[in-house]
Amino acid sequence: MVTTQALAEQRVVLKNISWQTFTAMLNEMGEKRKVRLAYIDGILEIMTPLGEHENTNRFIDDLIRVLADELNLNLKKFGSLTLKHENMRRGAEPDSCYYISNESRVRNKRHIDLTIDPPPDLVVEIDITSSSIDKLSIYAAVGVPEIWRYDGRSLQILVLSEPNSTYTQTQKSPTFPLLDPDLVPQLIAQSLIDGETKTLRSFRAWVRQQLERASEGR
């Protein structure tokens, strides 16, 4: 067992864990818990988000809500939904996940079954202390098309490529193409100075300005 502790996250890594043990832990721990689990090839990571991690996650969630609202997109939030692929023995719980283009397909659902339901359209991962597990391969296995990964300094936008089923970094989000990923760390820093409400209000004004410019350019 290896334990790593830092300001943003606490991680515990266990080896030689069976898939059955992993799924049993998910069931026994239930949905109302603070830790997030990830599993691949017999390795289980248990991550406890601490202050910086949770604050960043919730602020990025607010940014996504503003974007969806201003773009008039229906958004269904599933938080740290457990995403697992039983045949490949892989599973992970993101910091946040969203149905957007597939929102209508899960609108009336409170529980997701990836054997019949589509994966979330967008996953957000806060990895300030770097995960010990290759979570991208887990998300690729279940078919998540887009991931936002924030490492405390920059935001990466990753898009699932076919036919290799690997993620490629891009400068434009397929879901929210007007967003410059370099703007996100600036907004996070600004929120620590001006406060989150004021920063979100400024961001909403910026989004509206971008939409007006796009409309005038047609």
Side-chain angles (χ1 to χ4, degrees):
M1 181 176 75
V2 179
T3 303
T4 304
Q5 186 167 358
L7 178 63
E9 300 118 359
Q10 184 180 41
R11 300 180 189 273
V12 175
V13 177
L14 305 174
K15 298 182 179 180
N16 300 316
I17 303 298
S18 69
W19 176 258
Q20 290 74 18
T21 299
F22 168 61
T23 56
M25 288 180 65
L26 289 173
N27 293 330
E28 291 173 8
M29 296 173 75
E31 296 182 355
K32 295 183 178 180
R33 53 186 162 82
K34 294 182 179 179
V35 300
R36 312 209 214 301
L37 306 183
Y39 178 91
I40 185 172
D41 296 332
I43 299 174
L44 173 67
E45 180 185 80
I46 305 171
M47 188 275 287
T48 303
L50 302 180
E52 180 183 356
H53 182 114
E54 278 296 83
N55 178 247
T56 302
N57 177 44
R58 291 178 183 274
F59 186 73
I60 292 177
D61 175 72
D62 285 337
L63 297 178
I64 290 171
R65 294 186 192 206
V66 169
L67 285 165
D69 187 29
E70 293 300 322
L71 290 167
N72 197 29
L73 296 173
N74 272 331
L75 185 74
K76 192 170 183 72
K77 305 172 290 295
F78 266 100
S80 298
L81 176 70
T82 302
L83 305 174
K84 60 182 187 289
H85 193 301
E86 185 171 358
N87 292 339
M88 298 184 72
R89 297 295 194 267
R90 299 180 182 188
E93 297 174 321
D95 288 298
S96 297
C97 68
Y98 308 86
Y99 284 91
I100 306 167
S101 63
N102 281 314
E103 182 272 341
S104 62
R105 297 176 62 184
V106 298
R107 182 175 300 170
N108 64 342
K109 298 192 175 186
R110 296 293 181 88
H111 302 282
I112 296 297
D113 180 354
L114 291 181
T115 63
I116 57 175
D117 297 318
D121 298 298
L122 174 63
V123 153
V124 173
E125 277 288 332
I126 312 298
D127 283 325
I128 296 175
T129 58
S130 298
S131 175
S132 303
I133 281 183
D134 180 14
K135 296 179 78 173
L136 292 184
S137 66
I138 301 174
Y139 294 135
V142 299
V144 175
E146 182 177 355
I147 296 174
W148 290 10
R149 186 167 63 182
Y150 182 74
D151 64 2
R153 300 175 302 276
S154 62
L155 179 77
Q156 290 182 322
I157 295 177
L158 304 167
V159 178
L160 189 63
S161 303
E162 297 292 350
N164 298 323
S165 294
T166 58
Y167 286 97
T168 303
Q169 185 174 351
T170 179
Q171 280 300 111
K172 282 191 177 295
S173 164
T175 308
F176 302 112
L178 63 81
L179 179 69
D180 182 346
D182 293 337
L183 181 60
V184 174
Q186 296 174 28
L187 291 167
I188 292 171
Q190 183 182 339
S191 73
L192 299 175
I193 299 170
D194 297 336
E196 294 182 11
T197 300
K198 183 177 180 180
T199 302
L200 290 168
R201 190 180 298 122
S202 297
F203 177 63
R204 185 180 292 274
W206 178 85
V207 173
R208 289 178 178 176
Q209 184 180 57
Q210 301 307 305
L211 292 174
E212 289 174 1
R213 288 178 177 175
S215 178
E216 291 171 357
R218 291 175 183 169

